[in-house]
Amino acid sequence: MGSPAARACCTALVLVLLSSASEGRPSFRPRSAGGPPRLEYPVEFPLGQPTFDNIQAICINGDHRPRYPDSYFPVSGYGKLKRMASSVNELEYLLNACCGSNHTWGTEVTLCCASMAWKFAINSYCEEDASIKDRQSECCKPMGSDRLNCFHNEAPNPNYKATQELPVPQIPSTETFDFNPTDCMN
């Protein structure tokens, strides 16, 4: 086994080699600041601008597009995604109300209602987004038609195709949206 002096010499040599080798090794600390990896919570945001080309799909497929109940997200965190989801829920509820009167209004007034609801939802989202200390949505920065075009161009489902196999329940609105069909006559 060797003398104690030889073992001490070998031990010292091994320690020197290990300490110099550890200086070039990568760190094996977790990449995130502790805790589990972040989960994804996809939100189909924003919704596309209502047009003559998609108004029928808006009304027919209304209960086959996603809604995001509070239980969809964890209790804490995900503030921006929660605001996006709330905007989708809000607009889908308003679109459903516009489509519900389609049989008496006709397509033109239903489209007018849907367009006004869409503009209302976009502007409400941007107003709330600006009030939070977070990075503001790029599409909220422009004003007027530039803002609306930006949101429409970002829409993942501008044609309002059905994306859910089974019908999903409406989530009631918390916003007040007043629509008068005579507003469309201008």
Side-chain angles (χ1 to χ4, degrees):
M1 288 258 210
S3 72
R7 273 187 290 194
C9 176
C10 288
T11 303
L13 179 62
V14 169
L15 289 174
V16 169
L17 289 173
L18 286 175
S19 68
S20 66
S22 69
E23 291 174 4
R25 276 195 251 162
S27 171
F28 290 102
R29 282 181 252 151
R31 290 183 193 182
S32 62
R38 277 185 80 90
L39 299 173
E40 295 295 320
Y41 294 90
V43 175
E44 287 188 25
F45 176 87
L47 298 180
Q49 185 171 11
T51 65
F52 275 110
D53 293 332
N54 66 17
I55 191 65
Q56 187 173 0
I58 288 172
C59 293
I60 291 172
N61 299 329
D63 60 348
H64 289 274
R65 290 187 301 271
R67 303 301 188 283
Y68 306 96
D70 290 340
S71 61
Y72 181 72
F73 294 103
V75 174
S76 63
Y78 300 93
K80 191 165 209 67
L81 284 174
K82 287 178 181 178
R83 288 190 300 280
M84 294 164 121
S86 177
S87 180
V88 169
N89 293 341
E90 191 72 40
L91 181 53
E92 287 286 8
Y93 184 83
L94 297 176
L95 292 174
N96 185 59
C98 291
C99 293
S101 299
N102 187 27
H103 63 282
T104 56
W105 289 344
T107 303
E108 289 177 8
V109 176
T110 300
L111 175 58
C112 176
C113 177
S115 295
M116 288 182 170
W118 183 75
K119 290 173 188 173
F120 175 80
I122 293 295
N123 289 325
S124 294
Y125 169 78
C126 287
E127 190 175 298
E128 184 178 5
D129 197 48
S131 72
I132 308 293
K133 286 187 176 183
D134 196 357
R135 199 176 93 230
Q136 189 178 18
S137 168
E138 286 299 314
C139 286
C140 286
K141 292 177 182 175
M143 300 303 284
S145 63
D146 289 340
R147 173 185 284 179
L148 300 176
N149 288 335
C150 183
F151 276 101
H152 177 69
N153 292 335
E154 293 291 317
N157 185 11
N159 296 319
Y160 286 83
K161 294 177 182 170
T163 58
Q164 305 297 301
E165 190 173 323
L166 298 174
V168 294
Q170 288 289 333
I171 296 177
S173 175
T174 57
E175 295 284 331
T176 302
F177 172 72
D178 295 318
F179 175 73
N180 185 340
T182 59
D183 293 342
C184 300
M185 304 307 166
N186 298 331

